[in-house]
Amino acid sequence: TGVVGVGQDITELQQVLAESKRVADDLTRLIETANAPIFGIDTEGNVTEWNAKASSLLGFSKAETMGKNLVQNFITEEFKHSVGEVLAAALAGKEAANFEFPLFTKDQERRDILLNATTRRGPNGEVIGVIGVGQDITQIREITSEQERVADDLSRLIESANAPIFGVDLNGMVTEWNRKSAIMTGFTKKDTMGKNFVENFIQLENRQLVSEVLRKAFTGEETANFELPLLSKHGERYTVLLNATSRRDARGNITGVVGVGQDITELQQVLAESKRVADDLTRLIETANAPIFGIDTEGKVTEWNAKASSLLGFSKAETMGKNLVQNFITEEF
């Protein structure tokens, strides 16, 4: 007798579906254009996502990877187990952050990747795969390795240097104590590390002066050629000519002081002996029972002893710096 039409208003549903499609399209574009390698796998470990960055970084196109097992085809043998465990955990709902592993490109170049593995879920919350978002840290690793190499070289240089080298932190606690310091003072690295440098290894009468040098270095004012007296564990006295240099971190912040010294104990002993001999010679000349004079290369008087003064009547003050021949020798001679 006719037709009955039963309708359902799906306006809101269509709006929801359109919004869902828009979000899905946005997400797809985001994944594809992201400046980070992104891949996806299903529950069987087969590749379902492989963005442009992953292609450019590793050399495998999307067509070469889609539907293939990620671990079996694109992970090196030595890391297949660990990567497989991370992905298996993510498929079980246990996500992984900052997992580091190497990938090898199509041309067998190594790339170090820092990976976040996130569980991918369906509309009902069921696990349908894993999304991996990576960061290429190859260059960072290379820089870090180079910095570690330089640091190791510096540590060996400090340790084996034929000069006493020590370091202190901002609290004045010893952080460096090389082999030469240990030989000279008798205190081993174990004896000194973590102990206050001034309070434990500087004599009481010199502590204020040394503390001032360190304080200046803590503020960036470095000191060169500071004579540092040291007393060894066995009571031997040493004099070290010290350069105190501010130690800075990567940001330029002062973290302590490094002192590089030169043992001048023997040199000072030689200088002291030379001074003693010179003083003895000066006294000998002055008190000799014979007239003694000296001149420089221009004939000017540099020495005029007491006997010369008493014999000739000219005091030392009257003769010093004057030409001997012109002023004190008669014309005929």
Side-chain angles (χ1 to χ4, degrees), residues 90-284:
L91 286 170
K94 186 179 179 182
E95 300 178 347
N98 298 330
F99 171 67
E100 191 176 323
F101 72 102
L103 280 175
F104 285 83
T105 69
K106 199 173 185 178
D107 299 324
Q108 293 304 302
E109 291 181 17
R110 176 178 170 138
R111 295 287 178 182
D112 292 305
I113 304 296
L114 194 66
L115 182 74
N116 284 4
T118 306
T119 306
R120 197 172 196 175
R121 298 181 182 274
N124 298 318
E126 74 278 15
V127 174
I128 60 172
V130 173
I131 285 284
V133 180
Q135 179 186 355
D136 180 9
I137 59 170
T138 308
Q139 191 173 7
I140 295 172
R141 274 283 160 267
E142 289 170 353
I143 293 170
T144 302
S145 296
E146 178 62 14
Q147 287 175 337
E148 287 174 355
R149 186 192 65 76
V150 170
D152 288 343
D153 286 349
L154 182 59
S155 294
R156 283 193 295 273
L157 177 64
I158 289 173
E159 186 59 27
S160 61
N162 194 32
I165 299 175
F166 69 88
V168 297
D169 62 19
L170 293 175
N171 295 315
M173 304 300 179
V174 176
T175 56
E176 295 280 355
W177 193 265
N178 77 338
R179 179 184 55 83
K180 187 66 175 179
S181 296
I183 292 171
M184 182 185 297
T185 64
F187 295 104
T188 65
K189 182 174 281 195
K190 187 177 179 181
D191 292 331
T192 61
M193 296 295 280
K195 294 183 180 176
N196 190 283
F197 175 67
V198 173
E199 291 179 5
N200 290 279
F201 307 107
I202 301 298
Q203 290 297 99
L204 186 60
E205 64 268 23
N206 299 309
R207 286 179 186 174
Q208 185 174 351
L209 197 57
V210 174
S211 294
E212 180 63 17
V213 169
L214 294 179
R215 186 195 65 77
K216 287 181 179 178
F218 290 150
T219 62
E221 185 180 341
E222 299 176 350
T223 300
N225 299 329
F226 169 68
E227 290 192 12
L228 172 68
L230 286 175
L231 187 66
S232 78
K233 194 174 185 178
H234 309 296
E236 296 171 297
R237 289 187 177 273
Y238 290 94
T239 303
V240 174
L241 195 64
L242 185 73
N243 284 5
T245 305
S246 306
R247 196 171 201 173
R248 298 175 185 270
D249 62 17
R251 296 181 178 179
N253 299 316
I254 294 174
T255 60
V257 174
V258 171
V260 179
Q262 178 188 356
D263 181 8
I264 60 169
T265 309
E266 192 173 343
L267 175 62
Q268 283 203 323
Q269 290 170 349
V270 170
L271 290 174
E273 179 62 14
S274 298
K275 185 177 184 300
R276 185 191 65 76
V277 171
D279 289 346
D280 286 349
L281 183 59
T282 300
R283 282 193 297 273
L284 177 64

Side-chain angles (χ1 to χ4, degrees), residues 1-6:
T1 60
V3 175
V4 175
V6 179

